[in-house]
Amino acid sequence: MTWDWEFTGRIIPDLLDGLVVTVQATLVGYVLALALGLAVAMVRRVPVIGSVVFVAMEFVRCTPLLVQLVFVFFLAPSYLSAFTIGVVVLGVHYAAYTAEVYRSGIEGVPPGQWEACRALSLPRYRTWGAVVLPQAIRKVIPALGNYLIAMFKDTPLLFAITVGELMYQASRIGGVYFRYLEAMTLVGLFFLLVSVPSAVLIRRLERRYAAV
Amino acid sequence: MEFFIDRLPLYLSGAGTTLTITLLGAVLAFVLAMVIGTLGTLRNPAARGFATFYTETFRGVAALILMYWMAFAVPQITPYEIDPMFAAVLALGLNIGAYGAEVVRAAINAVPKAQIEATVALSMSWWRRMRSVVLPQAWAQMLPTFGNLIIELMKATAIVSLIGVADLTRIAQEQRTATGETILAFSGALVVYFVIAQVLILGMRLLERRANRRLGRPTESGFLALLRPPPVNAIGGGRQ
């Protein structure tokens, strides 16, 4: 069997639909991972609850995303869509990573800054919001950006729980026409088209923030 | 508990498959990372171009897509049928190898310039320089990130269940269908994955400690020090 251009043209609209879902899932999941990760990183500084959260996140980080997805998919109530479940699990999984990134940023803030806040008796929300986080987050922006690309590359797993993203569309087309070559190859190309430019972008970001 | 005692042999055989794929994939990824990473540090533009092409391609495409491509598309254009397990090892090795190559390249480039100049002054050959000066130092720097990568590889092996290999994930799914006990079936698998990860982490920390000791750097001794989480600067170097 060789490459069929006519067939390729016919399946592109379906694949583009899948690409839209892939991008949506990545973006929503990423926002969730950023917010939840920050919360986890802050809670980790609280004595007992912090340790509990740390162990829980360690568990999430050391077990496969695919199993977590399928597990939650079968447990979740039926009124939740596969997309919702997929995005939430993706977000929680990556929150375990972003929390560590935030932590390294927060620990990089000089202790003198905390002491100064206490000396000025700034309320806690001001200490975090006006002093610690602006310095911490600035330093970890490239690392956080890397996780956006990593997440994008993990979205094909969502097809295991029937989310209609790229991989799902490709494997559906493959199943219907018994031709996997064109669809699978196009999916690979789509991924390259997104991840190569974003890798270049992240490298630029890294250079820019490293100079500070 | 009865659920697990009855099914322990099944879960263990699944874990065996998971471990086999992890180790084979890790060997392939390691060899690729070392070779391609070193190519990336050479002055020859062709070698560097090839290294960049390899890393960008195989990092850019997710391992699942690579695996599906090998398992379903390759038999349609060539007369060969790739065994699912082999497709998985190949896809994971190529994918993680690309991440590893970047780590190796960065670690080699991070060896202080003055040391390279010293080896030139002593008229060491390229091999000699790599073997006795560059690699021992780069090695100590690579190990923490390699530790993260092997965990990523181990977790990524779960995708082989999608093409029908009876790994830990597959076993858990079958047990769920057979008994309807979703929570038990999956938590069992998750705990086994977690244990495997902890063993791998421990092993990598032992290697790290040995590498640092050979360089004469201070290391903490005792078993308990291995259980503590690593310092902050070792984190965040995973799959990026």
Side-chain angles (χ1 to χ4, degrees), chain B residues 33-103:
Chain B
M34 279 303 197
V35 173
I36 309 278
T38 312
L39 282 182
T41 63
L42 297 181
R43 213 177 275 166
N44 184 341
R48 275 214 317 266
F50 176 75
T52 311
F53 173 76
Y54 169 82
T55 45
E56 289 306 340
T57 311
F58 288 103
R59 270 194 326 177
V61 182
L64 178 64
I65 298 169
L66 271 177
M67 188 184 71
Y68 260 66
W69 200 81
M70 285 174 196
F72 295 119
V74 168
Q76 297 197 330
I77 38 171
T78 65
Y80 304 106
E81 189 95 27
I82 300 184
D83 178 72
M85 194 124 153
F86 184 62
V89 169
L90 215 54
L92 292 169
L94 285 166
N95 184 239
I96 301 290
Y99 289 100
E102 280 296 283
V103 178

Side-chain angles (χ1 to χ4, degrees), chain B residues 30-218:
Chain B
F30 178 74
V31 172
L32 283 170
M34 279 303 197
V35 173
I36 309 278
T38 312
L39 282 182
T41 63
L42 297 181
R43 213 177 275 166
N44 184 341
R48 275 214 317 266
F50 176 75
T52 311
F53 173 76
Y54 169 82
T55 45
E56 289 306 340
T57 311
F58 288 103
R59 270 194 326 177
V61 182
L64 178 64
I65 298 169
L66 271 177
M67 188 184 71
Y68 260 66
W69 200 81
M70 285 174 196
F72 295 119
V74 168
Q76 297 197 330
I77 38 171
T78 65
Y80 304 106
E81 189 95 27
I82 300 184
D83 178 72
M85 194 124 153
F86 184 62
V89 169
L90 215 54
L92 292 169
L94 285 166
N95 184 239
I96 301 290
Y99 289 100
E102 280 296 283
V103 178
V104 173
R105 193 181 59 81
I108 291 178
N109 282 339
V111 173
K113 260 251 146 58
Q115 301 214 8
I116 308 295
E117 282 158 14
T119 62
V120 174
L122 292 169
S123 69
M124 280 189 188
S125 69
W126 184 84
W127 282 108
R128 187 73 208 283
R129 177 202 308 165
M130 288 306 270
R131 209 172 52 87
S132 30
V133 179
V134 177
L135 283 182
Q137 297 182 67
W139 178 240
Q141 182 159 4
M142 290 172 206
L143 278 177
T145 322
F146 276 171
N148 289 343
L149 283 179
I150 199 167
I151 303 298
E152 293 298 332
L153 180 83
M154 188 275 294
K155 290 193 301 170
T157 60
I159 61 174
V160 299
S161 63
L162 297 174
I163 52 172
V165 177
D167 76 326
L168 197 47
T169 304
R170 184 84 181 178
I171 299 285
Q173 296 213 19
E174 282 169 6
Q175 291 314 306
R176 188 200 76 87
T177 331
T179 61
E181 299 274 10
T182 306
I183 298 183
L184 285 179
F186 282 119
S187 2
L190 286 175
V191 168
V192 178
Y193 274 116
F194 184 69
V195 170
I196 295 176
Q198 296 308 310
V199 172
L200 290 174
I201 291 174
L202 209 69
M204 290 306 287
R205 294 220 185 116
L206 276 173
L207 277 179
E208 262 168 61
R209 182 190 278 186
R210 213 181 60 147
N212 280 319
R213 198 170 284 162
R214 278 169 68 190
L215 288 175
R217 292 179 188 161

Side-chain angles (χ1 to χ4, degrees), chain A residues 61 97 107 180 185 203, chain B residues 56 69 76 152 155 232:
Chain A
R61 213 149 24 113
Y97 289 99
E107 287 182 5
Y180 282 92
T185 310
R203 221 168 287 153
Chain B
E56 289 306 340
W69 200 81
Q76 297 197 330
E152 293 298 332
K155 290 193 301 170
V232 167

Side-chain angles (χ1 to χ4, degrees), chain A residues 117-130:
Chain A
C117 290
R118 203 171 317 141
L120 292 168
S121 66
L122 282 187
R124 180 159 290 190
Y125 75 93
R126 288 276 290 162
T127 308
W128 280 106

